[in-house]
Amino acid sequence: RGREVTMYNGIPFFKTVHAKVDNSEYLIIRTTDSVAFFDPLMHIEPYRVEKGFSDCLKGFNLYDCGIVEPKAIKWSKILGYQA
């Protein structure tokens, strides 16, 4: 959520890191229902801003990801890629 999404023919394209397999690079095209996120690791800690009077929180959320609908994912080899 909150990311800029490119739409083409009603299909959302999300920017993501490409996959490298055997020195070849692939573009992954998937639907939102093709993967599921689980096993979250969350870390949040409070802190005080040095110059000013306020309380703040900082932290991160990490999730594992699993493919739940393999037919909803397409792999496209990027031609002309030089490692």
Short mmCIF file of all heavy atoms in Angstrom, two decimals, residues 11-78:
data_model
loop_
_atom_site.label_atom_id
_atom_site.label_comp_id
_atom_site.label_asym_id
_atom_site.label_seq_id
_atom_site.Cartn_x
_atom_site.Cartn_y
_atom_site.Cartn_z
N ILE A 11 -4.19 -4.47 -15.33
CA ILE A 11 -3.30 -5.30 -14.53
C ILE A 11 -2.29 -4.40 -13.82
O ILE A 11 -1.60 -3.62 -14.47
CB ILE A 11 -2.54 -6.31 -15.42
CG1 ILE A 11 -3.52 -7.21 -16.15
CG2 ILE A 11 -1.56 -7.14 -14.59
CD1 ILE A 11 -2.89 -8.08 -17.20
N PRO A 12 -2.21 -4.48 -12.48
CA PRO A 12 -1.23 -3.65 -11.77
C PRO A 12 0.17 -4.26 -11.89
O PRO A 12 0.35 -5.46 -11.76
CB PRO A 12 -1.72 -3.67 -10.33
CG PRO A 12 -2.49 -4.93 -10.20
CD PRO A 12 -3.07 -5.21 -11.57
N PHE A 13 1.17 -3.42 -12.16
CA PHE A 13 2.57 -3.84 -12.20
C PHE A 13 3.30 -3.16 -11.05
O PHE A 13 3.38 -1.94 -10.98
CB PHE A 13 3.22 -3.45 -13.54
CG PHE A 13 2.74 -4.27 -14.69
CD1 PHE A 13 1.61 -3.92 -15.39
CD2 PHE A 13 3.43 -5.41 -15.07
CE1 PHE A 13 1.16 -4.68 -16.46
CE2 PHE A 13 2.99 -6.18 -16.13
CZ PHE A 13 1.85 -5.81 -16.83
N PHE A 14 3.84 -3.98 -10.14
CA PHE A 14 4.55 -3.47 -8.99
C PHE A 14 6.04 -3.49 -9.25
O PHE A 14 6.56 -4.45 -9.81
CB PHE A 14 4.25 -4.34 -7.75
CG PHE A 14 2.80 -4.35 -7.36
CD1 PHE A 14 1.96 -5.35 -7.82
CD2 PHE A 14 2.28 -3.37 -6.56
CE1 PHE A 14 0.62 -5.36 -7.47
CE2 PHE A 14 0.95 -3.38 -6.20
CZ PHE A 14 0.12 -4.37 -6.66
N LYS A 15 6.73 -2.42 -8.84
CA LYS A 15 8.19 -2.41 -8.96
C LYS A 15 8.76 -3.37 -7.92
O LYS A 15 8.36 -3.38 -6.77
CB LYS A 15 8.73 -1.01 -8.71
CG LYS A 15 8.35 -0.02 -9.78
CD LYS A 15 8.92 1.34 -9.49
CE LYS A 15 8.49 2.32 -10.55
NZ LYS A 15 9.00 3.67 -10.27
N THR A 16 9.70 -4.19 -8.34
CA THR A 16 10.29 -5.18 -7.44
C THR A 16 11.71 -5.48 -7.90
O THR A 16 12.13 -5.08 -8.98
CB THR A 16 9.44 -6.47 -7.41
OG1 THR A 16 10.01 -7.35 -6.44
CG2 THR A 16 9.42 -7.17 -8.75
N VAL A 17 12.43 -6.18 -7.07
CA VAL A 17 13.78 -6.60 -7.43
C VAL A 17 13.66 -7.77 -8.40
O VAL A 17 12.86 -8.67 -8.23
CB VAL A 17 14.55 -7.04 -6.16
CG1 VAL A 17 15.92 -7.54 -6.50
CG2 VAL A 17 14.63 -5.88 -5.19
N HIS A 18 14.46 -7.74 -9.45
CA HIS A 18 14.45 -8.83 -10.42
C HIS A 18 15.13 -10.06 -9.83
O HIS A 18 15.95 -9.96 -8.93
CB HIS A 18 15.17 -8.42 -11.71
CG HIS A 18 14.60 -7.21 -12.36
ND1 HIS A 18 13.29 -7.14 -12.78
CD2 HIS A 18 15.15 -6.02 -12.65
CE1 HIS A 18 13.07 -5.96 -13.30
NE2 HIS A 18 14.18 -5.26 -13.23
N ALA A 19 14.80 -11.21 -10.35
CA ALA A 19 15.40 -12.46 -9.90
C ALA A 19 16.52 -12.86 -10.84
O ALA A 19 16.37 -12.77 -12.05
CB ALA A 19 14.34 -13.56 -9.85
N LYS A 20 17.63 -13.29 -10.28
CA LYS A 20 18.74 -13.79 -11.09
C LYS A 20 18.86 -15.30 -10.88
O LYS A 20 18.96 -15.76 -9.75
CB LYS A 20 20.05 -13.12 -10.70
CG LYS A 20 20.12 -11.68 -11.10
CD LYS A 20 21.47 -11.09 -10.79
CE LYS A 20 21.51 -9.62 -11.16
NZ LYS A 20 22.80 -9.01 -10.84
N VAL A 21 18.83 -16.05 -11.97
CA VAL A 21 18.94 -17.50 -11.92
C VAL A 21 19.97 -17.91 -12.97
O VAL A 21 19.81 -17.60 -14.16
CB VAL A 21 17.58 -18.19 -12.21
CG1 VAL A 21 17.73 -19.69 -12.18
CG2 VAL A 21 16.52 -17.72 -11.23
N ASP A 22 21.01 -18.60 -12.55
CA ASP A 22 22.05 -19.06 -13.47
C ASP A 22 22.57 -17.94 -14.36
O ASP A 22 22.67 -18.07 -15.57
CB ASP A 22 21.57 -20.23 -14.33
CG ASP A 22 21.28 -21.47 -13.51
OD1 ASP A 22 21.93 -21.65 -12.46
OD2 ASP A 22 20.41 -22.25 -13.92
N ASN A 23 22.85 -16.78 -13.76
CA ASN A 23 23.43 -15.62 -14.44
C ASN A 23 22.48 -15.02 -15.48
O ASN A 23 22.91 -14.28 -16.36
CB ASN A 23 24.78 -15.96 -15.07
CG ASN A 23 25.69 -14.75 -15.10
OD1 ASN A 23 25.48 -13.79 -14.35
ND2 ASN A 23 26.68 -14.78 -15.95
N SER A 24 21.20 -15.34 -15.44
CA SER A 24 20.19 -14.71 -16.28
C SER A 24 19.22 -13.96 -15.38
O SER A 24 18.94 -14.40 -14.27
CB SER A 24 19.42 -15.76 -17.08
OG SER A 24 20.27 -16.42 -17.98
N GLU A 25 18.72 -12.83 -15.86
CA GLU A 25 17.81 -12.04 -15.05
C GLU A 25 16.38 -12.20 -15.56
O GLU A 25 16.14 -12.22 -16.76
CB GLU A 25 18.21 -10.57 -15.08
CG GLU A 25 17.45 -9.74 -14.08
CD GLU A 25 18.04 -8.34 -13.91
OE1 GLU A 25 18.98 -7.98 -14.63
OE2 GLU A 25 17.53 -7.63 -13.05
N TYR A 26 15.43 -12.31 -14.63
CA TYR A 26 14.02 -12.52 -14.95
C TYR A 26 13.17 -11.43 -14.33
O TYR A 26 13.45 -10.97 -13.22
CB TYR A 26 13.54 -13.88 -14.43
CG TYR A 26 14.14 -15.04 -15.16
CD1 TYR A 26 15.38 -15.55 -14.79
CD2 TYR A 26 13.49 -15.63 -16.22
CE1 TYR A 26 15.95 -16.61 -15.46
CE2 TYR A 26 14.04 -16.71 -16.89
CZ TYR A 26 15.27 -17.19 -16.50
OH TYR A 26 15.82 -18.25 -17.16
N LEU A 27 12.13 -11.03 -15.04
CA LEU A 27 11.13 -10.12 -14.53
C LEU A 27 9.95 -10.96 -14.07
O LEU A 27 9.50 -11.85 -14.79
CB LEU A 27 10.69 -9.15 -15.62
CG LEU A 27 9.52 -8.23 -15.29
CD1 LEU A 27 9.92 -7.25 -14.21
CD2 LEU A 27 9.07 -7.49 -16.53
N ILE A 28 9.46 -10.69 -12.87
CA ILE A 28 8.35 -11.47 -12.30
C ILE A 28 7.08 -10.63 -12.40
O ILE A 28 7.03 -9.51 -11.93
CB ILE A 28 8.64 -11.83 -10.84
CG1 ILE A 28 9.96 -12.58 -10.73
CG2 ILE A 28 7.50 -12.65 -10.26
CD1 ILE A 28 10.49 -12.68 -9.33
N ILE A 29 6.06 -11.20 -13.03
CA ILE A 29 4.75 -10.56 -13.13
C ILE A 29 3.79 -11.44 -12.34
O ILE A 29 3.70 -12.64 -12.59
CB ILE A 29 4.30 -10.43 -14.59
CG1 ILE A 29 5.32 -9.60 -15.38
CG2 ILE A 29 2.91 -9.82 -14.67
CD1 ILE A 29 5.08 -9.61 -16.87
N ARG A 30 3.09 -10.83 -11.38
CA ARG A 30 2.21 -11.63 -10.53
C ARG A 30 0.95 -10.85 -10.19
O ARG A 30 0.91 -9.63 -10.28
CB ARG A 30 2.92 -12.01 -9.24
CG ARG A 30 3.24 -10.81 -8.36
CD ARG A 30 3.82 -11.24 -7.02
NE ARG A 30 4.16 -10.11 -6.20
CZ ARG A 30 3.31 -9.44 -5.43
NH1 ARG A 30 2.05 -9.81 -5.38
NH2 ARG A 30 3.71 -8.42 -4.71
N THR A 31 -0.08 -11.59 -9.79
CA THR A 31 -1.29 -10.96 -9.27
C THR A 31 -1.14 -10.80 -7.77
O THR A 31 -0.24 -11.37 -7.15
CB THR A 31 -2.53 -11.81 -9.58
OG1 THR A 31 -2.42 -13.04 -8.85
CG2 THR A 31 -2.68 -12.08 -11.06
N THR A 32 -2.03 -10.04 -7.17
CA THR A 32 -1.95 -9.83 -5.72
C THR A 32 -2.32 -11.09 -4.94
O THR A 32 -1.96 -11.21 -3.77
CB THR A 32 -2.88 -8.67 -5.29
OG1 THR A 32 -4.20 -8.93 -5.77
CG2 THR A 32 -2.39 -7.35 -5.86
N ASP A 33 -3.02 -12.03 -5.56
CA ASP A 33 -3.43 -13.26 -4.87
C ASP A 33 -2.42 -14.40 -5.03
O ASP A 33 -2.64 -15.49 -4.53
CB ASP A 33 -4.78 -13.74 -5.39
CG ASP A 33 -5.88 -12.75 -5.10
OD1 ASP A 33 -5.77 -12.02 -4.10
OD2 ASP A 33 -6.85 -12.71 -5.87
N SER A 34 -1.32 -14.17 -5.72
CA SER A 34 -0.38 -15.25 -6.01
C SER A 34 0.55 -15.58 -4.85
O SER A 34 1.08 -16.68 -4.78
CB SER A 34 0.45 -14.91 -7.25
OG SER A 34 1.20 -13.74 -7.02
N VAL A 35 0.77 -14.64 -3.96
CA VAL A 35 1.67 -14.87 -2.82
C VAL A 35 0.96 -14.54 -1.52
O VAL A 35 -0.02 -13.80 -1.50
CB VAL A 35 2.97 -14.03 -2.93
CG1 VAL A 35 3.79 -14.44 -4.12
CG2 VAL A 35 2.66 -12.56 -2.96
N ALA A 36 1.45 -15.12 -0.44
CA ALA A 36 0.92 -14.84 0.89
C ALA A 36 2.08 -14.50 1.81
O ALA A 36 3.18 -15.05 1.68
CB ALA A 36 0.17 -16.05 1.44
N PHE A 37 1.84 -13.57 2.71
CA PHE A 37 2.86 -13.16 3.67
C PHE A 37 2.52 -13.73 5.03
O PHE A 37 1.38 -13.73 5.46
CB PHE A 37 2.94 -11.63 3.72
CG PHE A 37 3.34 -11.03 2.41
CD1 PHE A 37 2.39 -10.52 1.55
CD2 PHE A 37 4.67 -10.98 2.04
CE1 PHE A 37 2.75 -9.98 0.33
CE2 PHE A 37 5.04 -10.44 0.83
CZ PHE A 37 4.09 -9.93 -0.03
N PHE A 38 3.54 -14.23 5.73
CA PHE A 38 3.30 -14.89 7.02
C PHE A 38 4.56 -14.77 7.88
O PHE A 38 5.59 -14.29 7.44
CB PHE A 38 2.91 -16.36 6.83
CG PHE A 38 3.88 -17.13 5.97
CD1 PHE A 38 4.97 -17.77 6.52
CD2 PHE A 38 3.70 -17.20 4.60
CE1 PHE A 38 5.87 -18.47 5.73
CE2 PHE A 38 4.59 -17.90 3.80
CZ PHE A 38 5.67 -18.53 4.37
N ASP A 39 4.47 -15.23 9.10
CA ASP A 39 5.57 -15.26 10.06
C ASP A 39 6.23 -13.89 10.23
O ASP A 39 7.41 -13.71 9.93
CB ASP A 39 6.62 -16.31 9.64
CG ASP A 39 7.57 -16.66 10.77
OD1 ASP A 39 7.23 -16.41 11.94
OD2 ASP A 39 8.67 -17.15 10.48
N PRO A 40 5.46 -12.89 10.69
CA PRO A 40 6.02 -11.54 10.78
C PRO A 40 7.06 -11.41 11.91
O PRO A 40 6.95 -12.04 12.95
CB PRO A 40 4.81 -10.67 11.07
CG PRO A 40 3.85 -11.57 11.75
CD PRO A 40 4.08 -12.94 11.16
N LEU A 41 8.06 -10.60 11.66
CA LEU A 41 9.05 -10.21 12.66
C LEU A 41 8.94 -8.70 12.78
O LEU A 41 9.20 -7.98 11.82
CB LEU A 41 10.46 -10.62 12.25
CG LEU A 41 11.59 -10.06 13.10
CD1 LEU A 41 11.53 -10.61 14.52
CD2 LEU A 41 12.93 -10.35 12.47
N MET A 42 8.49 -8.23 13.94
CA MET A 42 8.30 -6.80 14.14
C MET A 42 9.19 -6.33 15.28
O MET A 42 9.34 -7.02 16.28
CB MET A 42 6.84 -6.49 14.45
CG MET A 42 5.90 -6.88 13.34
SD MET A 42 4.19 -6.34 13.54
CE MET A 42 3.78 -6.87 15.15
N HIS A 43 9.78 -5.17 15.09
CA HIS A 43 10.61 -4.57 16.13
C HIS A 43 10.31 -3.07 16.16
O HIS A 43 10.46 -2.39 15.15
CB HIS A 43 12.10 -4.80 15.86
CG HIS A 43 12.98 -4.16 16.88
ND1 HIS A 43 13.13 -4.68 18.14
CD2 HIS A 43 13.73 -3.04 16.85
CE1 HIS A 43 13.95 -3.91 18.83
NE2 HIS A 43 14.33 -2.90 18.05
N ILE A 44 9.85 -2.60 17.29
CA ILE A 44 9.53 -1.18 17.47
C ILE A 44 10.15 -0.73 18.78
O ILE A 44 10.08 -1.43 19.79
CB ILE A 44 8.01 -0.95 17.50
CG1 ILE A 44 7.38 -1.39 16.18
CG2 ILE A 44 7.68 0.51 17.80
CD1 ILE A 44 5.87 -1.34 16.17
N GLU A 45 10.78 0.45 18.76
CA GLU A 45 11.35 0.99 19.98
C GLU A 45 11.07 2.49 20.06
O GLU A 45 11.13 3.20 19.06
CB GLU A 45 12.84 0.72 20.06
CG GLU A 45 13.67 1.29 18.95
CD GLU A 45 15.13 0.87 19.05
OE1 GLU A 45 15.40 -0.33 19.20
OE2 GLU A 45 15.97 1.77 18.96
N PRO A 46 10.75 2.96 21.25
CA PRO A 46 10.51 4.40 21.43
C PRO A 46 11.83 5.14 21.60
O PRO A 46 12.83 4.57 22.05
CB PRO A 46 9.69 4.45 22.71
CG PRO A 46 10.08 3.24 23.46
CD PRO A 46 10.43 2.20 22.44
N TYR A 47 11.84 6.41 21.24
CA TYR A 47 13.02 7.25 21.47
C TYR A 47 12.58 8.70 21.58
O TYR A 47 11.48 9.07 21.20
CB TYR A 47 14.07 7.06 20.38
CG TYR A 47 13.71 7.64 19.04
CD1 TYR A 47 14.20 8.87 18.64
CD2 TYR A 47 12.89 6.95 18.16
CE1 TYR A 47 13.89 9.41 17.41
CE2 TYR A 47 12.56 7.47 16.93
CZ TYR A 47 13.06 8.71 16.55
OH TYR A 47 12.75 9.23 15.34
N ARG A 48 13.46 9.54 22.12
CA ARG A 48 13.21 10.97 22.24
C ARG A 48 14.07 11.71 21.23
O ARG A 48 15.24 11.40 21.05
CB ARG A 48 13.58 11.46 23.63
CG ARG A 48 12.63 10.99 24.68
CD ARG A 48 12.01 12.17 25.31
NE ARG A 48 10.96 11.70 26.19
CZ ARG A 48 10.22 12.51 26.86
NH1 ARG A 48 10.42 13.79 26.78
NH2 ARG A 48 9.27 12.05 27.62
N VAL A 49 13.48 12.69 20.58
CA VAL A 49 14.22 13.53 19.65
C VAL A 49 15.18 14.40 20.45
O VAL A 49 14.81 14.96 21.47
CB VAL A 49 13.25 14.39 18.81
CG1 VAL A 49 14.01 15.29 17.87
CG2 VAL A 49 12.29 13.51 18.06
N GLU A 50 16.44 14.50 19.98
CA GLU A 50 17.45 15.24 20.73
C GLU A 50 17.13 16.73 20.83
O GLU A 50 17.23 17.32 21.89
CB GLU A 50 18.83 15.06 20.09
CG GLU A 50 19.37 13.67 20.26
CD GLU A 50 20.76 13.52 19.67
OE1 GLU A 50 21.48 14.53 19.56
OE2 GLU A 50 21.11 12.39 19.31
N LYS A 51 16.77 17.33 19.72
CA LYS A 51 16.48 18.77 19.71
C LYS A 51 14.98 18.96 19.57
O LYS A 51 14.45 19.00 18.47
CB LYS A 51 17.21 19.47 18.58
CG LYS A 51 18.71 19.41 18.71
CD LYS A 51 19.38 20.12 17.56
CE LYS A 51 20.89 20.05 17.72
NZ LYS A 51 21.58 20.70 16.61
N GLY A 52 14.30 19.07 20.68
CA GLY A 52 12.86 19.25 20.63
C GLY A 52 12.18 18.44 21.73
O GLY A 52 12.83 17.69 22.48
N PHE A 53 10.90 18.61 21.84
CA PHE A 53 10.14 17.91 22.86
C PHE A 53 9.09 17.05 22.17
O PHE A 53 8.02 17.51 21.80
CB PHE A 53 9.48 18.92 23.80
CG PHE A 53 8.71 18.28 24.91
CD1 PHE A 53 9.38 17.68 25.97
CD2 PHE A 53 7.34 18.24 24.89
CE1 PHE A 53 8.68 17.07 27.00
CE2 PHE A 53 6.63 17.63 25.91
CZ PHE A 53 7.30 17.05 26.96
N SER A 54 9.42 15.81 21.94
CA SER A 54 8.47 14.89 21.33
C SER A 54 8.90 13.45 21.58
O SER A 54 10.07 13.18 21.82
CB SER A 54 8.35 15.15 19.82
OG SER A 54 9.59 14.92 19.20
N ASP A 55 7.93 12.58 21.56
CA ASP A 55 8.18 11.15 21.66
C ASP A 55 7.97 10.55 20.29
O ASP A 55 7.04 10.91 19.57
CB ASP A 55 7.24 10.49 22.66
CG ASP A 55 7.48 10.97 24.08
OD1 ASP A 55 8.65 11.19 24.43
OD2 ASP A 55 6.50 11.13 24.83
N CYS A 56 8.82 9.60 19.92
CA CYS A 56 8.74 9.00 18.59
C CYS A 56 8.88 7.49 18.69
O CYS A 56 9.33 6.96 19.69
CB CYS A 56 9.85 9.55 17.70
SG CYS A 56 9.78 11.32 17.47
N LEU A 57 8.51 6.82 17.60
CA LEU A 57 8.69 5.39 17.47
C LEU A 57 9.48 5.11 16.20
O LEU A 57 9.28 5.77 15.18
CB LEU A 57 7.36 4.67 17.39
CG LEU A 57 6.49 4.65 18.63
CD1 LEU A 57 5.14 4.02 18.30
CD2 LEU A 57 7.15 3.91 19.75
N LYS A 58 10.34 4.13 16.24
CA LYS A 58 11.01 3.67 15.03
C LYS A 58 11.02 2.15 15.06
O LYS A 58 10.98 1.54 16.12
CB LYS A 58 12.43 4.23 14.90
CG LYS A 58 13.37 3.82 16.02
CD LYS A 58 14.73 4.46 15.82
CE LYS A 58 15.65 4.13 16.98
NZ LYS A 58 16.97 4.72 16.81
N GLY A 59 11.05 1.55 13.89
CA GLY A 59 11.03 0.10 13.86
C GLY A 59 10.91 -0.42 12.45
O GLY A 59 11.03 0.31 11.47
N PHE A 60 10.66 -1.73 12.35
CA PHE A 60 10.54 -2.36 11.05
C PHE A 60 9.64 -3.58 11.15
O PHE A 60 9.41 -4.12 12.22
CB PHE A 60 11.91 -2.78 10.49
CG PHE A 60 12.65 -3.77 11.36
CD1 PHE A 60 12.44 -5.12 11.23
CD2 PHE A 60 13.56 -3.33 12.30
CE1 PHE A 60 13.11 -6.03 12.01
CE2 PHE A 60 14.24 -4.24 13.10
CZ PHE A 60 14.02 -5.59 12.96
N ASN A 61 9.11 -4.00 10.00
CA ASN A 61 8.31 -5.22 9.87
C ASN A 61 8.90 -6.06 8.75
O ASN A 61 9.10 -5.56 7.65
CB ASN A 61 6.85 -4.90 9.51
CG ASN A 61 6.15 -4.13 10.58
OD1 ASN A 61 6.46 -4.25 11.75
ND2 ASN A 61 5.17 -3.33 10.19
N LEU A 62 9.19 -7.31 9.02
CA LEU A 62 9.68 -8.24 8.01
C LEU A 62 8.74 -9.43 7.95
O LEU A 62 8.25 -9.90 8.98
CB LEU A 62 11.09 -8.74 8.35
CG LEU A 62 12.20 -7.70 8.39
CD1 LEU A 62 13.49 -8.33 8.87
CD2 LEU A 62 12.39 -7.09 7.02
N TYR A 63 8.47 -9.93 6.74
CA TYR A 63 7.57 -11.06 6.56
C TYR A 63 8.23 -12.10 5.65
O TYR A 63 8.97 -11.75 4.74
CB TYR A 63 6.26 -10.63 5.90
CG TYR A 63 5.44 -9.69 6.74
CD1 TYR A 63 5.62 -8.32 6.66
CD2 TYR A 63 4.49 -10.18 7.62
CE1 TYR A 63 4.85 -7.45 7.42
CE2 TYR A 63 3.72 -9.32 8.38
CZ TYR A 63 3.91 -7.96 8.28
OH TYR A 63 3.15 -7.11 9.04
N ASP A 64 7.92 -13.35 5.90
CA ASP A 64 8.25 -14.40 4.93
C ASP A 64 7.17 -14.38 3.86
O ASP A 64 6.06 -13.92 4.08
CB ASP A 64 8.28 -15.77 5.60
CG ASP A 64 9.52 -15.98 6.44
OD1 ASP A 64 10.54 -15.31 6.18
OD2 ASP A 64 9.48 -16.82 7.36
N CYS A 65 7.50 -14.88 2.70
CA CYS A 65 6.56 -14.87 1.59
C CYS A 65 6.53 -16.27 0.98
O CYS A 65 7.56 -16.91 0.82
CB CYS A 65 7.02 -13.85 0.55
SG CYS A 65 6.03 -13.80 -0.91
N GLY A 66 5.35 -16.73 0.64
CA GLY A 66 5.22 -18.04 0.01
C GLY A 66 4.30 -17.95 -1.19
O GLY A 66 3.34 -17.17 -1.22
N ILE A 67 4.58 -18.74 -2.21
CA ILE A 67 3.74 -18.78 -3.41
C ILE A 67 2.56 -19.70 -3.13
O ILE A 67 2.74 -20.87 -2.84
CB ILE A 67 4.54 -19.27 -4.63
CG1 ILE A 67 5.69 -18.30 -4.92
CG2 ILE A 67 3.65 -19.43 -5.84
CD1 ILE A 67 6.65 -18.79 -5.98
N VAL A 68 1.35 -19.16 -3.22
CA VAL A 68 0.14 -19.95 -2.96
C VAL A 68 -0.65 -20.21 -4.24
O VAL A 68 -1.52 -21.08 -4.25
CB VAL A 68 -0.75 -19.27 -1.91
CG1 VAL A 68 -0.07 -19.24 -0.56
CG2 VAL A 68 -1.14 -17.87 -2.33
N GLU A 69 -0.39 -19.47 -5.31
CA GLU A 69 -1.07 -19.66 -6.58
C GLU A 69 -0.04 -19.58 -7.71
O GLU A 69 0.15 -18.54 -8.32
CB GLU A 69 -2.16 -18.59 -6.76
CG GLU A 69 -3.08 -18.82 -7.92
CD GLU A 69 -3.92 -20.07 -7.77
OE1 GLU A 69 -4.49 -20.30 -6.70
OE2 GLU A 69 -3.97 -20.83 -8.76
N PRO A 70 0.67 -20.71 -7.99
CA PRO A 70 1.76 -20.66 -8.97
C PRO A 70 1.33 -20.27 -10.38
O PRO A 70 2.11 -19.67 -11.12
CB PRO A 70 2.30 -22.09 -8.97
CG PRO A 70 1.74 -22.76 -7.78
CD PRO A 70 0.52 -22.01 -7.38
N LYS A 71 0.08 -20.55 -10.77
CA LYS A 71 -0.37 -20.21 -12.11
C LYS A 71 -0.62 -18.71 -12.28
O LYS A 71 -0.81 -18.24 -13.39
CB LYS A 71 -1.63 -20.98 -12.46
CG LYS A 71 -1.37 -22.47 -12.62
CD LYS A 71 -2.60 -23.20 -13.05
CE LYS A 71 -2.28 -24.68 -13.22
NZ LYS A 71 -3.46 -25.43 -13.64
N ALA A 72 -0.62 -17.95 -11.19
CA ALA A 72 -0.84 -16.51 -11.25
C ALA A 72 0.47 -15.74 -11.31
O ALA A 72 0.49 -14.53 -11.16
CB ALA A 72 -1.66 -16.06 -10.04
N ILE A 73 1.58 -16.45 -11.52
CA ILE A 73 2.90 -15.83 -11.62
C ILE A 73 3.50 -16.17 -12.98
O ILE A 73 3.50 -17.32 -13.40
CB ILE A 73 3.84 -16.32 -10.51
CG1 ILE A 73 3.28 -15.96 -9.14
CG2 ILE A 73 5.23 -15.73 -10.68
CD1 ILE A 73 4.08 -16.51 -7.99
N LYS A 74 4.01 -15.17 -13.66
CA LYS A 74 4.70 -15.37 -14.94
C LYS A 74 6.13 -14.87 -14.81
O LYS A 74 6.38 -13.81 -14.27
CB LYS A 74 4.00 -14.62 -16.07
CG LYS A 74 2.58 -15.07 -16.31
CD LYS A 74 2.53 -16.50 -16.76
CE LYS A 74 1.10 -16.94 -16.99
NZ LYS A 74 0.96 -18.35 -17.06
N TRP A 75 7.07 -15.65 -15.33
CA TRP A 75 8.49 -15.29 -15.33
C TRP A 75 8.88 -14.95 -16.76
O TRP A 75 8.62 -15.73 -17.68
CB TRP A 75 9.34 -16.46 -14.84
CG TRP A 75 9.12 -16.79 -13.41
CD1 TRP A 75 8.03 -17.39 -12.87
CD2 TRP A 75 10.01 -16.53 -12.34
NE1 TRP A 75 8.19 -17.54 -11.51
CE2 TRP A 75 9.40 -17.02 -11.16
CE3 TRP A 75 11.27 -15.95 -12.25
CZ2 TRP A 75 10.02 -16.93 -9.93
CZ3 TRP A 75 11.87 -15.88 -11.02
CH2 TRP A 75 11.25 -16.35 -9.87
N SER A 76 9.48 -13.79 -16.96
CA SER A 76 9.90 -13.36 -18.29
C SER A 76 11.40 -13.09 -18.27
O SER A 76 11.87 -12.27 -17.48
CB SER A 76 9.13 -12.10 -18.69
OG SER A 76 9.58 -11.66 -19.94
N LYS A 77 12.14 -13.80 -19.12
CA LYS A 77 13.59 -13.61 -19.18
C LYS A 77 13.90 -12.28 -19.85
O LYS A 77 13.34 -11.95 -20.89
CB LYS A 77 14.24 -14.75 -19.95
CG LYS A 77 15.73 -14.72 -19.92
CD LYS A 77 16.31 -15.97 -20.57
CE LYS A 77 17.82 -16.00 -20.43
NZ LYS A 77 18.39 -17.20 -21.02
N ILE A 78 14.77 -11.50 -19.23
CA ILE A 78 15.17 -10.22 -19.77
C ILE A 78 16.32 -10.46 -20.74
O ILE A 78 17.39 -10.93 -20.37
CB ILE A 78 15.59 -9.25 -18.64
CG1 ILE A 78 14.41 -9.01 -17.72
CG2 ILE A 78 16.12 -7.94 -19.23
CD1 ILE A 78 14.73 -8.18 -16.52
#
